[in-house]
Amino acid sequence: MKTITRYLLICFTFFSLTAQEREKPPKSGAPKNFTLPKKEVVQLDNGLTLVMVPYGSIPKATIRFSIKTGNINEQEDQIWLGDLLAEMMKEGSTTKNAKQVADEMAGMGGNLNIAFGLHTASISSSVLYEFAPDAIKLMADLLKNPKFPIDELDRLKADMKRDLSVRLSRPRSQAVRDFYSQLYPNHPYGRLFPSDAMIDSYTIEDIRQFYNDQFGGLRTTVYVVGNFNGDAVREAVEKVLSDWREGKPSDFSIAKPVVSNGVKIIDRPGAPQSTIYYGLPVVGPEHEDFIALDVMNSILGGSFTSRITTNIREDKGYTYSPFSNLDTKYKSGIWYEAADVTTEHTGASLEEIQKEIRKLQDETPTQEEMDGIINYESGIYVLQNSTPNGIIGQMVFLDTHDLDDSFLTDKVDNMHAITPEKVQEMTRKYIRPENMTLIVVGDREKIERQIPKPIKQPLKQ
């Protein structure tokens, strides 16, 4: 009876409110900055760094060995060689095979992950807190003594070629491949996919040479975040990693992206939709304009309530999942809008994207729109970084881009300091349709005539 009475009271209260009162969203709370937990940093003589961050109440420790190397360090004839190296490392060390490693990690309450990315390679796990030193010893064994078993090489290369075939059958992968190859024609950033012949050419010697060139103490940071015994963790790291070779310092080549207003159509006869990638070079996270540019991106196309999304998804129904992205590279950056749009609305979608860009160039956003976007983005930012993995990810980001801790700790305040006039300035300064590269994957016969003439300048095929 009490439940029914409470329900009726709530209904009465709701329907007695005016429509205007019901539509008012609740006032948001005061913005909170991301607080980087206190960390202890230990530097070994071979250049390896240990970073320990006690955090949270869950009795687990998250551990990541982060090596400052990635696809950015691959040569023109080495695309995905680092990825193949990572797959080979999963096969175990010279002392333990893959099953033994998996069984031992399971006994510690975790599992092992090995990955190779654009700027970093990593070995990571999350284990019960008392096993953190044992996990570090096992992970260090894999890092220092990878077996690289030759009898697994052909199988792993075959798996890689199947993965490549599947990826390149997708229109988005085709668009991304050609988009970045046009913007970064002479840099690893522009070389996303190898050929089958390139994969076939890789040998155990190539993998070992790449490992010897790219791995060592100088490039490695061990992050431990969560609950753990700090003295035991430090002792374990010093015991198993202090004798590892220094290796070479990290070496990321700075890319010089190309600015053009060209178009490339990748023909996909009969395609019911077109995949669009449309963007240009901007600045990297080290630049003073980056935070303002990030806010501008959220307003223009980078959030679910952004202008481009509202226009071509909600109002026009041309697409289901458009988005814009501020893609951070080392000392470089790219802004782009991506969307899968219905074939017959390819040209109209591009026109609406350009219209929203020019509108933000011509008119400052309202303070209400600014507050809504910034509150949402800053809240998501803090929430995403409230886990051990999130904290490690941010520290890796700082290390990759040579940034100070203040980039993280001051970000929310810096976002809220951005004015509507600054957003307009960023749009005018950086988001210029006349300098944008356009890649469209779709039915050429149906879409070629739809491409707006002001940007129609063929790119190299």
Side-chain angles (χ1 to χ4, degrees):
M1 185 67 183
K2 289 182 179 179
T3 302
I4 295 173
T5 303
R6 188 181 296 113
Y7 173 74
L8 291 173
L9 181 61
I10 291 170
C11 290
F12 175 78
T13 303
F14 176 79
F15 286 110
S16 66
L17 294 173
T18 65
Q20 185 178 10
E21 288 172 325
R22 289 200 302 269
E23 290 174 0
K24 282 184 178 180
K27 290 184 178 181
S28 59
K32 294 182 179 180
N33 255 317
F34 168 68
T35 302
L36 190 63
K38 185 178 180 180
K39 59 185 178 180
E40 181 180 355
V41 180
V42 179
Q43 195 79 44
L44 303 190
D45 291 341
N46 62 355
L48 185 140
T49 303
L50 167 64
V51 179
M52 295 183 289
V53 182
Y55 181 78
S57 58
I58 297 174
K60 296 196 78 173
T62 298
I63 305 163
R64 187 185 304 183
F65 288 23
S66 180
I67 304 92
K68 206 169 179 181
T69 184
N71 301 115
I72 190 174
N73 292 120
E74 294 170 340
Q75 300 301 311
E76 195 169 355
D77 59 351
Q78 294 180 328
I79 305 171
W80 283 16
L81 180 60
D83 300 78
L84 183 58
L85 180 152
E87 292 302 312
M88 291 289 283
M89 289 184 76
K90 294 177 184 178
E91 297 302 315
S93 70
T94 55
T95 63
K96 300 178 189 294
N97 61 35
K99 185 178 185 308
Q100 289 172 319
V101 171
D103 289 345
E104 287 193 29
M105 291 303 304
M108 301 179 203
N111 64 303
L112 198 67
N113 302 291
I114 300 177
F116 196 85
L118 189 57
H119 301 106
T120 57
S122 66
I123 302 175
S124 61
S125 187
S126 184
V127 300
L128 294 170
Y129 75 100
E130 67 266 31
F131 293 114
D134 295 328
I136 287 169
K137 292 173 185 176
L138 181 57
M139 294 162 73
D141 181 42
L142 278 172
L143 179 63
K144 291 169 57 181
N145 308 302
K147 187 176 181 180
F148 299 139
I150 191 169
D151 53 338
E152 299 293 343
L153 182 60
D154 288 342
R155 175 181 64 83
L156 293 174
K157 289 200 292 187
D159 289 347
M160 184 169 278
K161 288 192 293 183
R162 280 193 293 271
D163 179 42
L164 176 65
S165 177
V166 170
R167 290 201 202 186
L168 291 181
S169 69
R170 298 169 180 160
R172 182 154 291 187
S173 293
Q174 296 170 18
V176 170
R177 174 197 61 196
D178 286 23
F179 181 72
Y180 280 96
S181 69
Q182 298 291 343
L183 292 173
Y184 293 107
N186 302 305
H187 192 275
Y189 290 155
R191 302 192 288 264
L192 270 63
F193 300 106
S195 64
D196 281 358
M198 191 179 295
I199 293 172
D200 284 333
S201 72
Y202 296 150
T203 66
I204 287 294
E205 289 72 27
D206 293 330
I207 293 170
R208 291 189 182 280
Q209 185 62 55
F210 190 83
Y211 171 83
N212 290 332
D213 288 342
Q214 303 297 331
F215 285 67
L218 284 171
R219 297 191 181 192
T220 302
T221 302
V222 177
Y223 297 96
V224 186
V225 178
N227 279 285
F228 52 89
N229 182 316
D231 291 338
V233 164
R234 185 188 307 106
E235 182 181 345
V237 169
E238 290 174 345
K239 182 176 180 179
V240 296
L241 286 167
S242 61
D243 63 346
W244 194 31
R245 68 174 188 275
E246 285 189 6
K248 302 174 183 176
S250 60
D251 181 24
F252 291 167
S253 60
I254 298 176
K256 295 181 180 179
V258 172
V259 175
S260 77
N261 67 336
V263 174
K264 182 174 181 180
I265 298 174
I266 302 171
D267 194 17
R268 196 176 176 88
Q273 63 184 19
S274 300
T275 296
I276 294 170
Y277 267 71
Y278 186 39
L280 74 172
V282 287
V283 294
E286 78 290 342
H287 197 280
E288 62 182 2
D289 285 341
F290 182 80
I291 298 297
L293 194 62
D294 196 16
V295 171
M296 183 283 307
N297 171 63
S298 296
I299 290 174
L300 185 57
S303 65
F304 190 75
T305 57
S306 66
R307 293 185 175 194
I308 293 175
T309 300
T310 300
N311 183 328
I312 65 175
R313 183 188 190 275
E314 301 299 318
D315 297 345
K316 306 293 191 307
Y318 294 161
T319 175
Y320 182 74
S321 55
F323 67 94
S324 69
N325 186 36
L326 192 55
D327 187 11
T328 54
K329 306 297 186 186
Y330 184 68
K331 311 297 183 186
S332 174
I334 297 292
W335 180 89
Y336 65 83
E337 173 73 26
D340 296 312
V341 303
T342 50
T343 296
E344 61 268 30
H345 296 122
T346 303
S349 298
L350 288 165
E351 289 172 358
E352 294 301 322
I353 292 169
Q354 291 184 39
K355 184 179 81 174
E356 294 297 344
I357 292 171
R358 293 196 172 97
K359 183 178 179 181
L360 198 53
Q361 290 175 337
D362 295 339
E363 303 172 14
T364 59
T366 65
Q367 191 61 54
E368 183 180 10
E369 182 181 18
M370 292 280 295
D371 291 342
I373 286 289
I374 293 174
N375 285 337
Y376 172 77
E377 293 293 341
S378 59
I380 291 295
Y381 167 73
V382 173
L383 184 63
Q384 287 175 337
N385 300 322
S386 61
T387 65
N389 266 320
I391 292 169
I392 291 174
Q394 289 295 348
M395 290 191 291
V396 171
F397 182 85
L398 293 180
D399 186 48
T400 298
H401 296 284
D402 306 324
L403 299 171
D404 185 75
D405 287 356
S406 60
F407 179 89
L408 301 181
T409 55
D410 296 345
K411 185 173 181 178
V412 172
D413 283 346
N414 289 336
M415 290 174 70
H416 281 268
I418 303 303
T419 63
E421 291 74 21
K422 190 67 174 179
V423 167
Q424 181 185 34
E425 177 192 339
M426 293 297 97
T427 317
R428 288 177 173 178
K429 185 175 180 179
Y430 292 108
I431 314 301
R432 305 174 65 86
E434 64 270 22
N435 292 335
M436 288 191 189
T437 292
L438 173 64
I439 305 295
V440 185
V441 182
D443 190 330
R444 180 187 295 273
E445 186 178 346
K446 295 180 180 178
I447 65 177
E448 191 164 25
R449 291 189 297 273
Q450 299 183 44
I451 304 300
K453 286 184 171 56
I455 60 171
K456 192 170 183 181
Q457 174 183 323
L459 291 168
K460 63 180 181 179
Q461 301 298 310

